[in-house]
């Protein structure tokens, strides 16, 4: 069965903090949106939930660059997550979900699964 997705506005450019992340809520749960203005692409979105602790904290992590990859370090146990792929750099078996993100005028859009449509189809 094909998953239906939709693009949803989650915040505006004015909500973003350069070189940092913010947490937004989607029907799928919390997502961390990062704005790195000195990179292309400049927007990244990953799950806000740290897989090692289960806490919703990744948007509060410190962003950086490791070996040419944009990363965020979890504030709790300091694991680094690649913002493009979601892979944990310290543990190959762990990753976080990534989300397609784009700028539409002043709005930040995320592509997420259409939860209501899937529930009806099930």
């Amino acid at each position: 069965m094909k998953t239906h997705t939709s693009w949803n506005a989650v915040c505006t450019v004015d909500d973003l903090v350069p070189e940092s992340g913010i947490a937004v809520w989607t029907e799928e749960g919390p997502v961390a949106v990062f704005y790195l203005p000195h990179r292309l692409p400049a927007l990244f979105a990953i799950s806000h939930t740290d897989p090692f602790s289960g806490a919703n904290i990744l948007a509060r992590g410190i962003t950086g660059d490791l070996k040419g990859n944009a990363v965020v370090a979890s504030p709790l146990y300091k694991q680094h997550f690649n913002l493009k792929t979601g892979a944990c750099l310290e543990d190959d078996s762990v990753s976080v979900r990534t989300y397609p993100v784009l700028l539409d005028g002043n709005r930040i859009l995320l592509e997420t699964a259409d939860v209501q449509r899937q529930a009806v189809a099930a």
Side-chain angles (χ1 to χ4, degrees), residues 69-94:
N69 295 305
V71 298
V72 63
S74 172
L76 283 181
Y77 301 123
K78 310 305 184 227
Q79 288 91 352
H80 295 88
F81 295 93
N82 182 312
L83 291 175
K84 185 175 181 180
T85 67
C88 176
L89 301 182
E90 288 79 17
D91 186 339
D92 294 352
S93 68
V94 178

Side-chain angles (χ1 to χ4, degrees), residues 21-84:
I22 64 165
V24 299
W25 184 257
T26 72
E27 287 188 21
E28 292 184 28
V31 174
V33 177
F34 294 90
Y35 175 47
L36 307 179
H38 302 294
R39 287 189 157 273
L40 285 178
L43 294 172
F44 300 89
I46 63 172
S47 171
H48 184 44
T49 307
D50 177 348
F52 291 96
S53 68
N56 292 322
I57 56 166
L58 290 182
R60 296 187 197 117
I62 296 172
T63 60
D65 183 289
L66 289 176
K67 300 180 183 176
N69 295 305
V71 298
V72 63
S74 172
L76 283 181
Y77 301 123
K78 310 305 184 227
Q79 288 91 352
H80 295 88
F81 295 93
N82 182 312
L83 291 175
K84 185 175 181 180

